[in-house]
């Protein structure tokens, strides 16, 4: 039985990946290591928590001793590393958490994998899940390719870029069997409502202002989270050691067009009159250093491994809106407690 460590498996993308691996690979033992920060939530995994090939371990990747002991105990065959601080706005107010988890935490995992695989790297794989934000910001044209030079602009993207460099350095220096993917913006169920799509669905539903940064003209390339999880699966199993794969949806939207579409869908679902929720749109102070445009070219992944996104955006966004409108207990649970404080601090000053 292969033992696979998934870090950050209680978060948004991690929980979708854990679900996919636990269901699809009954012969793998999946160990989900997560610190359960504000973004980690075991309610994201209720449907698989009792599966015989699944185990949850609470722990911090920044704790090197704990990580060494965990690797010694389980002797993992593979690692899929998603644990991270992931929200750009939080990285602007508190960069140190990002430096610790995203850089030091990744280094601890690399050291531990390097140690237990020192004598035999056959069939082993360290998969690092990264972001398109490491490439910086695009102008009106062009796409991020796997060899686009790194140019991270926020503390979050700089910390992810640092971790990517470490992963490649361990491959070059120690021949650690690594693989990296850089993905565009994900959307779907179980995303913490600090990110644009779940936050705005939540606010539209509750008739709260919709805080659009700057002019709302920034562009993001949106991909359904389950398509990202499928891409990780095909890359983990079929990708080449030492390689990088870009993952994206070829689905670019200005924030303001996307926000208007969300207003329209929620209004339809809640039986409100057309255009009613657009009145909630409020232009606020821009994000510091706000990247203008992200757009991924995922031709390599499509050509080499046959992956393509499965879902059209119109369908995916509608499903996503329905999920957040239906799963009120999940939303109430994650927006109680510290969330209110975060929200006030983040948005009052704008
Ligand atoms: P998330 O914030 O929803 O989840 C992160 C998870 O990591 C949480 O469960 C949290 O508890 C855990 N975690 C944080 N610090 C930890 C620590 N020190 N030790 C152990 N666990 C810790 O993030 P997400 O959106 O699911 O992103 C997952 C990964 O994918 C990240 O590496 C992120 O950079 C990358 N990524 C995200 C997107 C996106 O659109 N969300 C796109 C591309 C890449
Ligand atoms: O591109 C991949 C990245 O996508 C991931 O690496 C990050 O983990 C993930 O958080 C996401 O980063 P963004 O900064 O693009 O996502 P966010 O949802 O925070 O913002 C999307 C856009 O919406 C961005 O241009 C900022 C804008 N925005 C966001 C919020 C939260 C607003 O206008 N108002 C808001 O309140």
């Amino acid at each position: 039985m292969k033992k696979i460590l998934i870090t950050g498996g209680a978060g948004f993308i991690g929980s979708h990946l854990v679900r996919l691996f636990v269901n699809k690979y009954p012969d793998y033992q999946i160990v989900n290591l997560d610190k359960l920060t504000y973004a980690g939530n075991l309610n994201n995994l209720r449907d698989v928590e009792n599966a015989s090939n699944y185990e949850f371990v609470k722990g911090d990747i920044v704790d090197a001793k704990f990580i060494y002991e965990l690797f010694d105990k389980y002797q993992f065959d593979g690692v899929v590393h998603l644990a991270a601080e992931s929200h750009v706005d939080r990285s602007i107010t508190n960069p140190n958490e990002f430096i610790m988890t995203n850089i030091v935490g990744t280094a601890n995992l690399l050291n531990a994998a390097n140690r237990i695989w020192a004598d035999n790297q056959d069939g082993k794989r360290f998969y690092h899940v990264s972001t398109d934000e490491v490439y910086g910001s695009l102008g009106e044209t062009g796409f991020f390719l796997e060899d686009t030079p790194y140019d991270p602009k926020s503390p979050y993207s700089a910390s992810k870029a640092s971790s990517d460099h470490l992963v490649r350095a361990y491959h070059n220096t120690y021949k650690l069997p690594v693989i990296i993917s850089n993905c565009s913006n994900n959307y779907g169920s179980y995303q913490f409502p600090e990110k644009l799509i779940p936050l705005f669905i939540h606010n539209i539903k509750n008739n709260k202002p919709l805080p659009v940064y700057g002019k709302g003209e920034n562009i993001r390339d949106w991909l359904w989270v389950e398509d990202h999880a499928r891409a990780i699966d095909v890359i983990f199993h079929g990708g080449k050691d030492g390689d990088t794969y870009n993952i994206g949806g070829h689905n670019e939207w200005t924030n303001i067009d996307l926000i208007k579409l969300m207003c329209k869908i929620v209004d339809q679902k809640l039986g409100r009159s057309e255009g009613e929720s657009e009145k909630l749109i409020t232009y606020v102070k821009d994000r510091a250093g706000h990247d203008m445009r992200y757009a991924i070219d995922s031709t390599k992944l499509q050509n080499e491994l046959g992956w393509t996104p499965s879902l059209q955006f119109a369908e995916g966004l509608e499903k996503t809106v329905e999920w957040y409108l239906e799963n009120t207990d999940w939303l109430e649970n994650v927006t109680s407690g510290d969330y209110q404080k975060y929200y006030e601090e983040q948005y009052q000053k704008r």
Side-chain angles (χ1 to χ4, degrees), residues 275-317:
E276 193 180 323
S277 297
E278 281 193 25
K279 293 181 196 132
L280 299 168
I281 291 175
T282 312
Y283 291 91
V284 299
K285 189 169 161 230
D286 208 352
R287 174 184 277 175
H290 197 172
D291 287 342
M292 190 58 208
R293 174 172 167 256
Y294 306 144
I296 277 275
D297 183 333
S298 57
T299 309
K300 175 179 172 181
L301 175 59
Q302 303 194 15
N303 287 349
E304 278 187 21
L305 298 173
W307 174 92
T308 48
S310 70
L311 205 61
Q312 293 296 311
F313 190 57
E315 189 189 344
L317 191 64

Side-chain angles (χ1 to χ4, degrees), residues 42-227:
L42 290 177
N43 286 332
N44 298 359
L45 289 164
R46 288 290 167 228
D47 51 331
V48 292
E49 66 185 3
N50 295 321
S52 57
N53 62 339
Y54 171 72
E55 187 178 338
F56 173 70
V57 175
K58 186 171 188 292
D60 187 346
I61 59 169
V62 175
D63 182 344
K65 181 169 175 284
F66 163 76
I67 291 296
Y68 273 132
E69 286 168 3
L70 188 81
F71 276 67
D72 284 343
K73 177 176 171 196
Y74 285 91
Q75 295 292 315
F76 299 114
D77 300 291
V79 176
V80 189
H81 173 36
L82 298 100
E85 288 292 335
S86 69
H87 191 37
V88 174
D89 290 331
R90 289 184 193 252
S91 84
I92 295 168
T93 40
N94 187 11
N96 279 12
E97 287 277 329
F98 288 69
I99 291 161
M100 293 311 292
T101 288
N102 298 0
I103 307 176
V104 177
T106 302
N108 287 338
L109 293 165
L110 288 165
N111 287 331
N114 209 20
R115 190 166 84 167
I116 63 161
W117 299 341
D119 296 331
N120 181 8
Q121 295 180 335
D122 279 358
K124 307 293 191 284
R125 176 147 276 179
F126 188 104
Y127 187 132
H128 179 60
V129 175
S130 192
T131 170
D132 61 357
E133 299 199 12
V134 297
Y135 300 122
S137 179
L138 290 165
E140 281 175 18
T141 57
F143 295 92
F144 296 134
L145 286 154
E146 283 80 1
D147 59 1
T148 299
Y150 274 31
D151 187 19
K153 308 269 190 200
S154 72
Y156 163 68
S157 53
S159 68
K160 291 295 292 187
S162 306
S163 63
D164 293 11
H165 288 318
L166 279 172
V167 172
R168 289 198 185 95
Y170 275 62
H171 178 67
N172 182 62
T173 309
Y174 308 110
K175 310 291 171 244
L176 193 73
V178 307
I179 205 152
I180 300 179
S181 59
N182 296 82
C183 188
S184 63
N185 287 62
N186 286 214
Y187 72 96
S189 53
Y190 300 111
Q191 186 171 31
F192 193 79
E194 62 186 352
K195 309 280 167 61
L196 181 76
I197 289 183
L199 173 68
F200 276 46
I201 297 171
H202 184 59
N203 282 13
I204 298 168
K205 181 183 152 208
N206 293 304
N207 278 307
K208 285 176 69 177
L210 305 176
V212 182
Y213 296 166
K215 293 181 180 158
E217 288 168 354
N218 304 65
I219 293 173
R220 296 292 182 266
D221 174 359
W222 293 96
L223 179 70
W224 192 41
V225 63
E226 294 187 33
D227 280 330

